[in-house]
Amino acid sequence: MSETRPAIAEIVDLLSKKWVMRIIWELRDGAMTFRELQEACESVSPTTLNQRLKLLRTALLVQNEKDQGYHLTDLGYDLLVVYRPLGAWAERWQEQTQKKTT
Amino acid sequence: MSETRPAIAEIVDLLSKKWVMRIIWELRDGAMTFRELQEACESVSPTTLNQRLKLLRTALLVQNEKDQGYHLTDLGYDLLVVYRPLGAWAERWQEQTQKKTT
DNA sequence: CCTGTTGCTACGTATTATGTAGCATAAATA
DNA sequence: TATTTATGCTACATAATACGTAGCAACAGG
């Protein structure tokens, strides 16, 4: 079904949707309830949050087992690991972009 | 102005906008014209492309010097470097998600 | 039975992206 | 010189997406 599309393209599509990266980030320290996630994500609307959680569940990045709340799968954690260097890059980026105003 | 917001949050916001990651990716091998970029990005509308290019230029990730076309800045290239491991992760991800159907 | 918490849906409004047309500039061609 | 071609981009109407608010059904105490 999705054989023709490269994996990287699909995941970039998914990660480009609003709140997706943020949700993964918020789940970094363990499970959260639906409403906890909602608050953490600047009170994102439940409609959108639920849509995103569905996407993330079918993408096997997030799970929701009974009484455990939403939490990352192993695959989801690995993605966080991949993203880790982005933090350092972002610091440098902010320095550069603030040279203009400061 | 943006002192209160962490760098990582800002960049995640930017990268979560449609076509932003794709545009950076398409510029990986050097300069492209506006219309080349447009074709490369599945004929994204010029309105949107121009909006994204404005964002990317003010974020110092893309430049557009005379007769050189659009191309990544050093900062932009560094971001690509950060993203490189995503390719390998995406392969593993696709294997996992295709276990279900195949 | 009442209250609180949970995950989630409904639905109208606002924001964002799309598609198509086309303009202004500059270089190449006839 | 007149015409074509390519460039970067704007205008604007429509479609898709996200938001905000209200509220429901299931469950757990008290």
Side-chain angles (χ1 to χ4, degrees), chain B residues 1-68:
Chain B
M1 188 217 263
S2 55
E3 302 279 358
T4 50
R5 200 121 178 280
I8 187 74
E10 289 209 35
I11 206 65
V12 162
D13 247 36
L14 178 60
L15 295 176
S16 288
K17 287 188 187 294
K18 201 168 179 180
W19 299 115
V20 166
M21 285 170 70
R22 177 66 173 271
I23 290 168
I24 294 170
W25 173 253
E26 293 294 346
L27 292 175
R28 67 195 178 283
D29 290 327
M32 295 177 81
T33 67
F34 188 94
R35 297 196 182 198
E36 279 170 349
L37 260 178
Q38 210 189 336
E39 274 187 57
C41 295
E42 294 154 57
S43 298
V44 56
S45 75
T47 320
T48 309
L49 179 56
N50 192 40
Q51 272 184 26
R52 292 302 113 91
L53 286 172
K54 277 179 188 167
L55 287 175
L56 286 167
R57 275 178 290 185
T58 62
L60 305 185
L61 299 179
V62 164
Q63 269 182 328
N64 182 25
E65 287 158 13
K66 291 180 183 176
D67 300 327
Q68 294 191 352

Side-chain angles (χ1 to χ4, degrees), chain A residues 46-82:
Chain A
T47 321
T48 308
L49 179 56
N50 191 39
Q51 273 184 26
R52 292 302 112 92
L53 287 172
K54 278 179 188 168
L55 286 176
L56 286 167
R57 275 179 290 183
T58 60
L60 306 184
L61 299 180
V62 164
Q63 270 182 327
N64 184 24
E65 286 157 16
K66 289 181 185 175
D67 300 327
Q68 294 192 353
Y70 288 95
H71 59 96
L72 294 177
T73 62
D74 289 347
L75 216 47
Y77 274 112
D78 288 348
L79 183 57
L80 265 187
V81 172
V82 167

Side-chain angles (χ1 to χ4, degrees), chain A residues 20-51:
Chain A
V20 166
M21 284 169 70
R22 176 66 172 271
I23 291 168
I24 293 170
W25 173 254
E26 293 294 347
L27 292 175
R28 66 194 177 282
D29 290 326
M32 297 176 80
T33 68
F34 188 94
R35 297 196 181 199
E36 279 170 349
L37 260 178
Q38 210 189 336
E39 275 187 57
C41 294
E42 295 152 59
S43 298
V44 57
S45 73
T47 321
T48 308
L49 179 56
N50 191 39
Q51 273 184 26

